[in-house]
Amino acid sequence: MLVRLLFLVLYVVSSSGRPEKGKDGKLLHPGLTPGRSATPRVNTMEHTAEHWRNHAKETILKKINSKLNENVAKNVIMFLGDGLSIPTLAATRVYHGGEEVELSFETLPYAGLSKTYCVDAQTADSACTATAYLAGVKNNIDMIGVTAAVKKDDCDAMLVEENRVESIAKWSLDVGKRTGIVTTSTVTDASPAGAYAKIANRSWQTDAAVEASGANATKCRDITYQLVKWAPGKDFNVILGGGTRNFLNNDTTDEFGGRGSRTDGLNLVDEWIKDRAAENRTAKYVWNRNGLLNLKNDTDFVLGLFGNDNMPYNLERDASLVPSLEEMTEVAINIGSRGNGAENGYFLFVEGGRIDHGHHEGWARKAFDETIEFSKAVQKALDMTSEEDTLIVVTADHSHTMSLSGYPVRGNEILGVGGIDDFGEARLTINYANGPALVNHTHDYGSDDTIDKDYRFPAVTQLYSETHGADDVGIFASGPWAHLFTGVLEQSTIPHMMAYASCVGDGLKMPACSWGVPNVAALSWMLLSLVLFLHLRFRM
């Protein structure tokens, strides 16, 4: 052991003095010796030039034959993969079947990149990013629905009207559209809260949390209270996710055996039910899969809470009791498509929230599996809607520090050994820059059960919780005006583009918004009819 450590020190010291010039290919790309059980996956078709040329031809033809869709988007569905970094996409493809596999949203015709920084932070959190991609304004880290003029825990500043911003969910409600939020995290977590909350601390999800920070909970209402009692949250047709504890008092036990976290004596589930009844609205509270999937067709509003805290990871989910993200998405689209206001369309926000949680814990397998569940939800939406009138935008809020490295062979197990290092020890393909499982340079990772869902992948720097990354994230889009979502964009432009496509908000408007026609084809027929009418009129 001592000899090995001494060799490591000598290796590092000698490497630090090497000049950059004159390095040969082996020094620049030393690689790792393939793992002990690594067997390359072979597709003999890929050995021919014709295979790749045909693939390129198909791609080019698909792009040049696609037509710009400049219809009005009756419906908008925004999918948010929390922490869905580009390396996570690449790793999930392999986990899902191979390097060449495409996730559902990777097949969408338009793609771009989103810059995720906050006004005061190089690396973003889910609060400032939610304000950017839902309300169109960048602000400070930990803040939701307020401008950068508001600092953390500043109760007074968050109440100043000019510091408060509205989301595209509110803009959509203003023109009579139906709305909803769906998430696998708590419905009061930072990402979904961006659709309705205005708060000086993302952690203020209960009155107790507000009071604990020294603020007045009756003056600065918590996120859950805002969702249930204030517009726009109280008007959402669909609210699906986890987090009953934030709705209940601490002396109340929920359906899952957990206690509430509130101290104000409120039961906000009961309050939501009472308020909808007072408004003469058909509403239903559900807490399990059976209740969700058996909602009556006349249900106009649904509040579904499927866990005391976050919903369980898919790998730990009891499928008979807890709905999947795909199932929640299907219900949300069905409710958005019927009932009062359905003729005006809908706006839905759907989040795969636990991709992020998996990464924070170093649980790469859980993060990849949650990404597949997210992809299934997007596919369900694609199957249920039409590109003619529904804009679908898929993106992430921020990245993570996970990387893929080591020159593993094609088809190598993504969760397994990427190769053998200079000391004869196995090294993994997946690693984190920081996180709870500090890398051990003398440990042979080939002996670990890295397929276990609770296996924590090694991190270069040890932290209790792995951090976010500051790199750009992807944007994928289809439907009306999807071609706007290309290039490198400020994250805060995303809701303005969705608003432009769907004729909501007070920003730029396409001419068709005021003409009241659904698409370019309809406008063309109207103009042609007018020309024919005038022609016949003057001939007579």
Side-chain angles (χ1 to χ4, degrees), residues 534-540:
L534 292 175
H535 175 70
L536 293 173
R537 173 93 175 173
F538 284 109
R539 282 190 64 185
M540 295 174 61

Side-chain angles (χ1 to χ4, degrees), residues 97-127:
E99 292 83 354
E100 70 286 355
V101 167
E102 290 180 310
L103 301 175
S104 63
F105 50 90
E106 293 180 311
T107 66
L108 302 187
Y110 299 98
L113 291 173
S114 169
K115 298 191 286 184
T116 64
Y117 66 91
C118 309
V119 168
D120 67 342
Q122 195 172 76
T123 302
D125 78 327
S126 293

Side-chain angles (χ1 to χ4, degrees), residues 509-526:
K509 293 284 195 305
M510 69 177 96
C513 296
S514 57
W515 295 334
V517 293
N519 53 52
V520 174
L523 176 61
S524 300
W525 278 109
M526 288 175 61

Side-chain angles (χ1 to χ4, degrees), residues 289-506:
R289 180 176 182 270
N290 185 62
L292 180 70
L293 300 187
N294 288 285
L295 288 170
K296 294 181 179 179
N297 289 337
D298 64 349
T299 303
D300 216 20
F301 291 79
V302 60
L303 170 62
L305 300 176
F306 308 106
N308 179 262
D309 192 7
N310 299 303
M311 292 180 64
Y313 288 102
N314 178 63
L315 288 172
E316 300 169 347
R317 178 174 65 93
D318 184 339
S320 67
L321 296 176
V322 182
S324 66
L325 182 60
E326 178 184 12
E327 289 169 335
M328 292 193 294
T329 300
E330 181 175 7
V331 170
I333 293 173
N334 283 332
I335 292 178
S337 303
R338 64 180 184 237
N340 185 39
E343 68 278 5
N344 299 318
Y346 56 78
F347 171 82
L348 295 176
F349 173 80
V350 181
E351 181 197 23
R354 308 226 64 189
I355 302 168
D356 174 72
H357 299 164
H359 279 317
H360 279 305
E361 294 282 359
W363 292 331
R365 184 184 174 192
K366 288 181 178 178
F368 302 160
D369 187 78
E370 291 296 314
T371 302
I372 292 173
E373 291 300 298
F374 180 70
S375 178
K376 290 178 183 177
V378 176
Q379 186 60 57
K380 176 59 68 174
L382 291 169
D383 292 341
M384 294 180 68
T385 60
S386 168
E387 275 192 287
E388 290 301 306
D389 67 358
T390 301
L391 171 64
I392 292 179
V393 178
V394 184
T395 189
D397 46 358
H398 53 72
S399 68
H400 273 275
T401 72
M402 188 210 79
S403 65
L404 298 76
S405 59
Y407 303 112
V409 298
R410 174 79 176 276
N412 194 65
E413 168 58 62
I414 192 66
L415 297 171
V417 172
I420 308 302
D421 68 16
D422 291 346
F423 307 108
E425 305 293 5
R427 292 290 171 252
L428 303 178
T429 303
I430 299 297
N431 294 274
Y432 288 89
N434 56 59
L438 182 64
V439 66
N440 182 346
H441 293 287
T442 64
H443 176 65
D444 184 354
Y445 285 92
S447 63
D448 292 353
D449 181 10
T450 57
I451 306 300
D452 188 292
K453 63 182 175 61
D454 293 321
Y455 183 83
R456 284 193 165 104
F457 281 76
V460 176
T461 303
Q462 189 167 33
L463 291 174
Y464 174 77
S465 175
E466 181 262 357
T467 71
H468 296 165
D471 34 314
D472 296 350
V473 295
I475 312 172
F476 308 87
S478 69
W481 295 94
H483 53 281
L484 295 180
F485 298 88
T486 56
V488 181
L489 305 173
E490 290 286 359
Q491 194 170 51
S492 52
T493 63
I494 293 174
H496 296 291
M497 289 178 173
M498 293 190 293
Y500 182 85
S502 57
C503 296
V504 304
D506 57 4

